Amino acid sequence: MLRPPNINHSLPTFEPIQMRIGQTSFITFVSTFVSSGAGFVGTIVFARLLGADILGQYYLLLSIVAWLALAGTLGFESAITKRLSEGENRGAYKVAGGLCIAALTATIVLALILGEDIVQQLFGVQRIDFLILLLIVGVMGSYVDAILQGVHLVHVYAGLRPVRRVIRTLVQVGGILLSFGLVALVYGYATGGVVIILIGLYVVGGPYHLPNREHFRSLYEYARFAWLGRIEGKTFNQADILILGVFVSDSLVGVYGITWNLANFLIIFSNAISSSLFPELSKLSADESSVQVSSLLEDSLAYAGLFTIPGLVGGALLSERLLRVYGPEFVDGSEVLWLLIGAVLVYGYQRQIVNVLSAIDRPDESFKINSVLILSNLVLNFALIREYGIFGAAGATITSVLLSFTVGYIILNRHIDISVPIDRIGAQVAAALGMGLVVVAIEILANPIFSTINNTATTTVLVVLGAAAYFAFLWGLSADFKRIIRKNIPVF
């Protein structure tokens, strides 16, 4: 078990790392928030202009591409990030990783061309060229993102995300207004990806060196376990949509896809923490600084639910209002929204555990945790979707995440000391419950006014006031939260 060594890691030497991670997490969060916000607005436009059927086809197409892209990278993007973050032979690892990914992707493209009829019959996809285009753009984007994170340019990687999303949304909306429908969604998605790939490659620059066998072997040794982590992420986000596509109508797939978009919006801060922590944890692990690794894990667990905890309360209270913003047909997903937010909340904590195991070079242990989520998710989805539809898909998701989190906690505790920050998480829960009372009170008192204005305006007011109440309560309840804000947010 990795335990604290006999080295005195004084606070002054560690505080700059914590502050750098905090500031990077904040930048990543803001960038992702802007990106998700643009996507949120765009999705409302898509839903109202195109309807659930075309959106269902689009989400199904993206789900298929997501799984193909996993085979196109097969964990090598994670291996690239890990090896580059260690700081040695970066030029050789960039080339070796790129060659591996290119060979895998070329194989998949050839298989799609040869098996076009099978894909069309199985999933109802009429345009194989859509799949090939999105696959190539997606894989190249993953490669560039992996390099940026590996060379500790997480803030650049994060800053490019809203640019990609804004470009994508503008092209998609423009194409939809010109009546291109699904074609506009696909080519808009690809355009945003291509622009960011070019910018990312320019920012990364050199050096690039010819790799030798050892570089390929090193990447393979990490990737052979890390690939399952990528599959786990896609299983969590995409497996239910793919299976729903087999058993239910395109309209219900569209409803569920919109519900997932809302739930996933709340995990952006947790993802920002993971992205910012990984390169630093990897470097600390290489330096055998286990005390600092444990401390950073505690911090990540403390704030992984910062937005998801109040989101769960708000989702339970406002689910119907939120989904009605997209259109009346999407209200059918209101009863599953709170389940999906609950799944996202637990998944945020689970990802912190897996992130630490991967960073301390134990992808084999991450492999076990990911296996639990994947297998349980697939089995439960097939068992429950046929009987309960989208409600069964949500139930399968939250159950599988709870199982994998439990297994992950047990495994990680064998390698490092885990101290769960109950007090800080408890303050967030208390603040969220206080927020819920405020929202209910506002709805009751202001109902005569709300009944005279449209649902979108009412929902916006409730969400803004609820968020303000949550952070006001948290500011009063948690001295640690005030300290974190003052240290890491530039305005303070």
Side-chain angles (χ1 to χ4, degrees):
M1 183 181 292
L2 183 61
R3 297 297 184 191
N6 295 321
I7 300 176
N8 181 22
H9 295 285
S10 61
L11 185 60
T13 62
F14 187 40
E15 276 195 339
I17 297 176
Q18 290 178 306
M19 187 172 293
R20 181 170 68 249
I21 292 173
Q23 292 168 353
T24 303
S25 296
F26 177 74
I27 293 170
T28 303
F29 164 70
V30 171
S31 300
T32 308
F33 184 85
V34 173
S35 173
S36 299
F40 180 78
V41 173
T43 303
I44 294 175
V45 175
F46 304 156
R48 292 186 173 183
L49 294 179
L50 298 176
D53 285 340
I54 292 181
L55 273 183
Q57 296 174 37
Y58 176 59
Y59 288 135
L60 184 59
L61 188 65
L62 291 183
S63 182
I64 295 170
V65 170
W67 286 99
L68 292 174
L70 284 175
T73 55
L74 213 59
F76 280 98
E77 79 278 37
S78 298
I80 291 169
T81 298
K82 171 60 178 172
R83 296 307 176 215
L84 292 181
S85 69
E86 293 171 346
E88 297 181 0
N89 301 314
R90 285 179 169 176
Y93 280 123
K94 284 190 283 188
V95 175
L99 289 174
C100 292
I101 290 174
L104 290 168
T105 304
T107 303
I108 297 169
V109 169
L110 180 60
L112 283 174
I113 294 172
L114 295 176
E116 180 175 357
D117 292 340
I118 298 174
V119 175
Q120 288 177 337
Q121 291 174 10
L122 186 60
F123 296 105
V125 175
Q126 301 302 314
R127 298 282 301 270
I128 294 297
D129 57 318
F130 283 174
L131 290 178
I132 294 174
L133 172 64
L134 294 178
L135 171 63
I136 293 173
V137 172
V139 167
M140 290 182 64
S142 295
Y143 171 68
V144 174
D145 289 347
I147 294 176
L148 286 170
Q149 293 177 78
V151 297
H152 298 259
L153 293 177
V154 176
H155 58 292
V156 176
Y157 154 74
L160 291 176
R161 296 180 71 177
V163 177
R164 172 170 50 199
R165 178 70 74 150
V166 169
I167 292 172
R168 176 198 305 175
T169 302
L170 289 175
V171 175
Q172 288 176 327
V173 172
I176 290 171
L177 293 176
L178 293 173
S179 302
F180 285 106
L182 183 62
V183 175
L185 294 178
V186 170
Y187 279 95
Y189 192 98
T191 300
V194 169
V195 171
I196 295 310
I197 288 167
L198 295 176
I199 296 174
L201 288 174
Y202 174 78
V203 171
V204 168
Y208 292 91
H209 301 303
L210 288 176
N212 57 38
R213 181 178 298 180
E214 177 58 28
H215 297 118
F216 286 102
R217 188 199 65 78
S218 179
L219 289 174
Y220 167 75
E221 288 298 323
Y222 192 89
R224 69 193 182 102
F225 292 111
W227 65 271
L228 197 68
R230 295 298 182 180
I231 291 180
E232 182 247 32
K234 296 303 179 186
T235 301
F236 178 71
N237 286 291
Q238 303 287 350
D240 40 9
I241 291 178
L242 199 61
I243 298 170
L244 280 168
V246 176
F247 292 110
V248 304
S249 65
D250 287 342
S251 178
L252 276 179
V253 174
V255 170
Y256 192 80
I258 289 293
T259 309
W260 245 131
N261 276 346
L262 271 174
N264 271 323
F265 182 78
L266 297 169
I267 203 174
I268 57 178
F269 190 68
S270 178
N271 289 339
I273 293 174
S274 297
S275 298
S276 302
L277 274 178
F278 185 87
E280 303 296 343
L281 287 169
S282 178
K283 182 64 176 174
L284 290 171
S285 175
D287 294 338
E288 298 185 357
S289 302
S290 57
V291 174
Q292 296 177 0
V293 170
S294 296
S295 179
L296 289 179
L297 170 62
E298 182 178 348
D299 289 340
S300 70
L301 291 175
Y303 291 103
L306 181 65
F307 289 86
T308 325
I309 290 173
L312 179 59
V313 175
L317 295 174
L318 302 175
S319 59
E320 188 171 331
R321 284 188 179 277
L322 288 166
L323 289 168
R324 199 182 300 141
V325 171
Y326 293 92
E329 61 188 320
F330 295 98
V331 176
D332 291 341
S334 59
E335 63 181 5
V336 305
L337 179 59
W338 68 272
L339 276 177
L340 291 179
I341 296 175
V344 166
L345 171 62
V346 179
Y347 187 69
Y349 293 114
Q350 186 254 36
R351 290 313 302 162
Q352 305 308 319
I353 290 173
V354 173
N355 194 50
V356 171
L357 284 169
S358 299
I360 64 175
D361 214 10
R362 293 307 306 262
D364 54 323
E365 300 285 36
S366 299
F367 187 95
K368 298 174 185 176
I369 303 168
N370 294 331
S371 297
V372 171
L373 189 145
I374 291 169
L375 292 175
S376 60
N377 189 277
L378 291 175
V379 170
L380 289 170
N381 266 305
F382 274 109
L384 298 178
I385 285 177
R386 183 191 293 271
E387 186 71 24
Y388 302 105
I390 59 175
F391 193 82
T397 298
I398 191 169
T399 303
S400 62
V401 172
L402 284 168
L403 286 172
S404 66
F405 170 78
T406 303
V407 172
Y409 182 88
I410 294 170
I411 290 177
L412 182 59
N413 200 43
R414 298 172 185 168
H415 298 282
I416 65 173
D417 289 317
I418 302 178
S419 177
V420 179
I422 299 296
D423 54 339
R424 289 186 277 180
I425 296 175
Q428 293 164 33
V429 172
L433 293 175
M435 176 205 73
L437 294 175
V438 170
V439 169
V440 170
I442 292 173
E443 272 206 290
I444 294 173
L445 296 174
N447 186 60
I449 300 174
F450 288 160
S451 61
T452 64
I453 59 179
N454 66 56
N455 176 69
T456 302
T458 300
T459 304
T460 301
V461 169
L462 289 172
V463 169
V464 171
L465 292 179
Y470 170 70
F471 283 108
F473 281 125
L474 190 58
W475 185 269
L477 290 170
S478 175
D480 184 74
F481 177 70
K482 287 188 281 191
R483 179 183 62 82
I484 292 293
I485 293 295
R486 287 169 174 159
K487 278 191 172 184
N488 295 297
I489 296 183
V491 71
F492 287 92

